[in-house]
Amino acid sequence: MANYCTNAIAFYGELNQLEALHGHIERTMLIDPHEPRITTLLDEMNLSTKVNDTRHFIINLNPIISDKDSHHFVLLTESAWCPMTEDFDAILKQPEFSTLDYVYTAEEPGMGIYINTDTNQRFLTPKYRFFSYIDNAVVHEEYFSSLAELVKWVNSIFSVFIDPNSTINSIITQLCKAYHDTDAEFFIDEYSSIPV
């Protein structure tokens, strides 16, 4: 069985085109409400594409957000092993979506995939993921847009004081030292900033 990659795709551009794409996704979710697939979306749009892997599912569709001259919405998906953005490339190649573009985050811990293509953090802000187990329980899973924000949070939650200029490795070392008497593990993953 594949490890599933969690993706957040922020589509942005001209409002009428964004509304049309949003409508296609809504219809796809009505066609197959239990397990809406991206391949169903492509079929609903009458797109003949060569999708090699059909394990790409719609999880949630957020409403369109308009802010001054900017319009966007976020689509959450799960795909097998990696983000599978070629599906969205095929959609946006259509003339009716000529003004639209997208950025995305992808997270698949088993494969070490942490990507955020929104390099300006305009729509999608995760830059760091903090995950901890203490005494065999998932204690925290939190996301931060900066290392300073992560350090501030760690200092407010855990019984340690981390210097604001600390590196990822030194934060983990200090946490492990403070919790050496427990069965604790700490992970901090940094999202790669890859422009699309």
Side-chain angles (χ1 to χ4, degrees), residues 23-191:
H24 283 292
I25 298 169
E26 286 178 319
R27 284 189 292 281
T28 299
M29 294 173 76
L30 292 172
I31 291 168
D32 192 1
H34 300 293
E35 198 172 70
R37 295 174 184 261
I38 297 299
T39 51
T40 306
L41 172 63
L42 297 172
D43 290 343
E44 194 277 333
M45 298 176 77
N46 296 315
L47 291 177
S48 58
T49 61
K50 295 181 172 103
V51 176
N52 295 325
D53 198 325
T54 61
R55 295 171 296 174
H56 193 183
F57 304 93
I58 297 170
I59 303 301
N60 193 24
L61 174 63
N62 293 328
I64 295 173
I65 296 173
S66 294
D67 181 23
K68 296 180 184 173
D69 295 327
S70 173
H71 313 284
H72 80 282
F73 69 84
V74 176
L75 173 67
L76 303 177
T77 70
E78 277 190 350
S79 53
W81 301 109
C82 61
M84 294 190 194
T85 56
E86 61 275 4
D87 298 341
F88 303 116
D89 293 338
I91 292 169
L92 296 191
K93 283 182 183 170
Q94 304 310 304
E96 62 266 35
F97 302 123
S98 62
T99 71
L100 300 186
D101 206 346
Y102 71 91
V103 289
Y104 69 92
T105 60
E107 176 185 316
E108 205 296 89
M111 298 297 289
I113 295 174
Y114 297 93
I115 299 169
N116 185 347
T117 67
D118 191 353
T119 55
N120 296 323
Q121 296 180 316
R122 186 173 166 198
F123 308 114
L124 305 168
T125 61
K127 179 71 177 156
Y128 297 94
R129 173 184 177 260
F130 179 94
F131 195 81
S132 68
Y133 291 102
I134 298 178
D135 296 326
N136 294 321
V138 175
V139 176
H140 296 99
E141 182 177 20
E142 301 288 335
Y143 295 85
F144 303 94
S145 60
S146 69
L147 196 55
E149 182 186 359
L150 185 151
V151 167
K152 183 177 179 183
W153 177 83
V154 166
N155 285 336
S156 71
I157 298 296
F158 296 95
S159 58
V160 294
F161 177 76
I162 308 291
D163 183 281
N165 298 315
S166 295
T167 64
I168 290 173
N169 288 338
S170 66
I171 295 167
I172 293 172
T173 299
Q174 290 175 69
L175 285 168
C176 289
K177 191 180 215 182
Y179 286 84
H180 72 278
D181 290 336
T182 65
D183 183 17
E185 292 184 79
F186 301 94
F187 304 91
I188 299 173
D189 300 292
E190 182 175 7
Y191 280 68

